[in-house]
């Protein structure tokens, strides 16, 4: 499958961060035989245009979006990143019919909330190096994704969320970035 992984993080305070989790997951998906591209939106000044360009260039069959933080952790001036994440999801939907798969540390803390709030069909809870390739295999085969370790599924009709316990990495030594 052609997979576009999008790092949605744009927070640069106190410093910008590299999308390391996305890079590890991209490597695992590529090793599983998928054609993977990564879009880092950290310094994007036009999210919609950058998403559109990445989708036009790669024509993904699935789009993974990494949600890094829930908010800026700056009480009493807390800023939720949900509106930005909605903007990224909407930008992907505007230019591609590919299914959206959420992931990242913010998603992992509240998978049912984010799937419903962003109306995304799939998400990866915890490490994605095992779960995402397994989910992509199910999607490629047209099979039901429920029951895949570390995968959350949102049913658009019933609005129910099914979360399968995380798929733990067999060994950290097997990881490649």
């Amino acid at each position: 499958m052609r997979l576009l992984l999008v790092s949605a993080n744009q927070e640069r305070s106190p410093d910008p961060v590299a999308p390391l989790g996305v890079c590890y997951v991209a490597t695992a998906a590529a090793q599983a035989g998928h054609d993977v591209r990564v879009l880092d939106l950290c310094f994007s000044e036009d999210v919609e245009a950058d998403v559109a360009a990445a989708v036009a260039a790669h024509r993904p069959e699935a789009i993974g979006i990494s949600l890094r933080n829930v908010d800026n952790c700056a009480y009493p001036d807390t800023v939720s990143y949900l509106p930005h994440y909605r903007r990224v999801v909407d930008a992907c939907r505007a230019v591609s019919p590919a299914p959206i798969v959420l992931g990242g540390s913010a998603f992992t803390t509240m998978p049912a909330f984010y799937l419903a709030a962003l109306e995304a069909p799939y998400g990866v809870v915890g490490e994605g190096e095992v779960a995402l390739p397994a989910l992509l295999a199910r999607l490629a085969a047209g099979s039901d994704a429920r029951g895949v370790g570390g995968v959350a599924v949102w049913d658009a009709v019933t609005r129910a969320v099914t979360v399968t316990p995380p798929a733990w990495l067999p060994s950290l030594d097997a990881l490649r970035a």
Side-chain angles (χ1 to χ4, degrees), residues 5-7 9 16-28 38 40 66 68 104-105 128-129 175-177:
L5 290 175
V6 180
S7 175
N9 178 50
V17 295
L20 296 179
V22 170
C23 292
Y24 276 104
V25 171
T27 299
V38 173
D40 183 0
S66 176
R68 184 174 186 271
S105 55
E129 291 86 351
L175 291 180
R176 289 186 183 166

Side-chain angles (χ1 to χ4, degrees), residues 5-146:
L5 290 175
V6 180
S7 175
N9 178 50
Q10 289 197 303
E11 184 59 64
R12 294 179 226 156
S13 178
D15 294 301
V17 295
L20 296 179
V22 170
C23 292
Y24 276 104
V25 171
T27 299
Q31 288 176 331
H34 301 286
D35 182 4
V36 184
R37 298 292 182 274
V38 173
L39 172 62
D40 183 0
L41 294 175
C42 189
F43 298 100
S44 174
E45 293 184 18
D46 188 340
V47 168
E48 289 79 6
D50 290 340
V51 166
V55 167
H58 191 52
R59 299 178 340 275
E61 297 167 286
I63 300 173
I65 303 173
S66 176
L67 314 180
R68 184 174 186 271
N69 295 325
V70 173
D71 58 45
N72 64 345
C73 298
Y75 181 83
D77 298 317
T78 306
V79 174
S80 169
Y81 296 132
L82 180 60
H84 171 66
Y85 296 150
R86 187 171 287 115
R87 180 179 174 203
V88 173
V89 168
D90 289 347
C92 291
R93 282 197 180 113
V95 295
S96 176
I100 291 176
V101 181
L102 302 178
S105 55
F107 176 77
T108 294
T109 63
M110 301 185 298
F113 169 78
Y114 279 111
L115 284 181
L118 299 173
E119 298 183 343
Y122 307 105
V124 171
V125 179
E127 291 92 359
E129 291 86 351
V130 173
L132 184 61
L135 172 60
L136 294 174
R138 292 273 181 103
L139 294 177
S143 302
D144 190 350
R146 282 179 281 246

Side-chain angles (χ1 to χ4, degrees), residues 111-113 115-116 152-155 158-163:
F113 169 78
L115 284 181
V153 178
W154 179 70
D155 185 310
T158 66
R159 303 192 63 80
V161 175
T162 304
V163 181

